Amino acid sequence: MTSRRKIFIGNWKMNKLPQEATAFCEAFIPAVKQVTQADVGIAAAGVLLPALATRFRGVQWYAQNCHWSANGAFTGETSASMLKSVDVCGSLVAHSERRQMCGETNQTAGQRVAALLNSGMQAVLCIGETLAERDSGRWTDVLQQQLDEGFTATGIKNWTAALGNDPERPLLTLAYEPVWAIGTGRAATAAQAQEAHAFIRGWLTRTFGPEMAQRLRIQYGGSVTLQNVDELMGMPDIDGALVGGASLKAEDFAQLVLRGAAAKR
Ligand code: PGA
């Protein structure tokens, strides 16, 4: 029996205009109201967040990126305190699309995590290997390097303090998202995902000890759908899902969250 509280986040990416987002929330939020045993969030484009976070309190709102500096000459960027000021609870960090297209590195990922945690906000740090890295058998090396470099770059020494006061909701969540499974319709099998999550939890245990390793939540992301959510969320080390394509339709995503939250492990 795992006691970690599951966490489901829809990653809308660069989708939805304001009226589409509003219509989604009007259908989605009542449909997931009964989900009290898991956290439910949506990562929306920055331009949507202030209006949505003010109006719709029934889900947690996340940004898709957050700069590490408090303020300054960073054209196009948004700081943690700006997000906090409009009731955004946290941000995704280093999604593979940002690693591939926007020059995100393990170093910058760690700096973003630190900025969020230091502001008392949630950080969802995304890691995962490419298809070539999986096929060549190097996937554990890749995950290890992303974790080693990313955590070192945070500069955080006192993790107990950095993770905040809520034992059920540590401020850091990891998201294992194999690049080959994102948006491809080819999800990792439950066994593959569990193996990777167990590897990540093993790294956490070696680095921080069993208490922190057992407490931190590790989401799976990559082609999660209504068809595979039960099996994936039944795995002992999978603590929720980061969902792209299947989070865009309110009814479907609500079903997915209900099923995933209820899955026994
Ligand atoms: P997908 O995306 O569910 O569409 O594969 C997941 C993600 O990119 O977070």
Side-chain angles (χ1 to χ4, degrees):
M1 256 292 281
T2 311
S3 61
R4 284 179 299 277
R5 185 178 169 82
K6 288 184 196 151
I7 174 168
F8 296 89
I9 300 177
N11 176 11
W12 282 353
K13 310 191 180 186
M14 199 174 72
N15 291 296
K16 294 201 187 294
L17 294 171
Q19 54 275 40
E20 295 166 332
T22 300
F24 177 104
C25 291
E26 283 168 351
F28 179 74
I29 291 176
V32 295
K33 208 165 172 228
Q34 72 210 75
V35 180
T36 52
Q37 75 276 40
D39 293 336
V40 183
I42 293 173
V47 72
L48 299 173
L49 284 169
L52 292 174
T54 308
R55 177 157 170 203
F56 296 105
R57 305 258 169 199
V59 289
Q60 296 171 324
W61 292 100
Y62 285 81
Q64 297 175 1
N65 188 31
C66 172
H67 200 263
W68 53 84
S69 291
N71 50 48
F74 301 101
T75 303
E77 298 291 334
T78 308
S79 72
S81 59
M82 288 172 177
L83 295 171
K84 196 172 192 176
S85 74
V86 294
D87 290 332
V88 170
C89 82
S91 180
L92 307 184
V93 172
H95 187 279
S96 70
E97 285 151 17
R98 297 200 63 82
R99 289 181 186 265
Q100 288 177 319
M101 295 185 274
C102 308
E104 186 76 73
T105 64
N106 295 326
Q107 176 69 34
T108 52
Q111 292 174 256
R112 294 184 206 281
V113 167
L116 286 157
L117 269 50
N118 291 335
S119 302
M121 299 176 75
Q122 294 278 340
V124 180
L125 173 61
C126 304
I127 59 173
E129 80 285 357
T130 63
L131 186 58
E133 289 161 347
R134 174 149 287 259
D135 286 347
S136 67
R138 286 186 292 124
W139 63 272
T140 53
D141 295 341
V142 172
L143 294 185
Q144 169 139 352
Q145 187 174 4
Q146 289 174 337
L147 291 164
D148 282 340
E149 293 182 5
F151 274 78
T152 302
T154 63
I156 293 172
K157 300 277 180 289
N158 184 347
W159 278 96
T160 310
L163 293 178
N165 300 325
D166 185 342
E168 289 203 304
R169 298 181 184 81
L171 292 179
L172 178 65
T173 296
L174 295 174
Y176 170 61
E177 296 208 304
V179 178
W180 46 272
I182 295 178
T184 59
R186 178 188 163 189
T189 64
Q192 283 173 323
Q194 167 57 29
E195 187 185 20
H197 283 230
F199 175 82
I200 294 166
R201 207 170 304 282
W203 182 91
L204 289 169
T205 307
R206 288 193 299 283
T207 311
F208 299 111
E211 205 184 332
M212 177 161 151
Q214 284 307 316
R215 196 174 153 214
L216 281 185
R217 299 181 288 183
I218 310 173
Q219 291 180 305
Y220 170 77
S223 296
V224 178
T225 62
L226 259 181
Q227 281 65 50
N228 58 22
V229 68
D230 299 297
E231 209 190 342
L232 284 163
M233 297 305 126
M235 293 289 135
D237 285 298
I238 300 184
D239 308 315
L242 183 54
V243 184
S247 74
L248 292 173
K249 289 206 184 107
E251 293 75 15
D252 293 357
F253 188 43
Q255 280 304 311
L256 189 154
V257 169
L258 289 170
R259 301 251 298 255
K264 292 271 178 304
R265 49 184 183 162

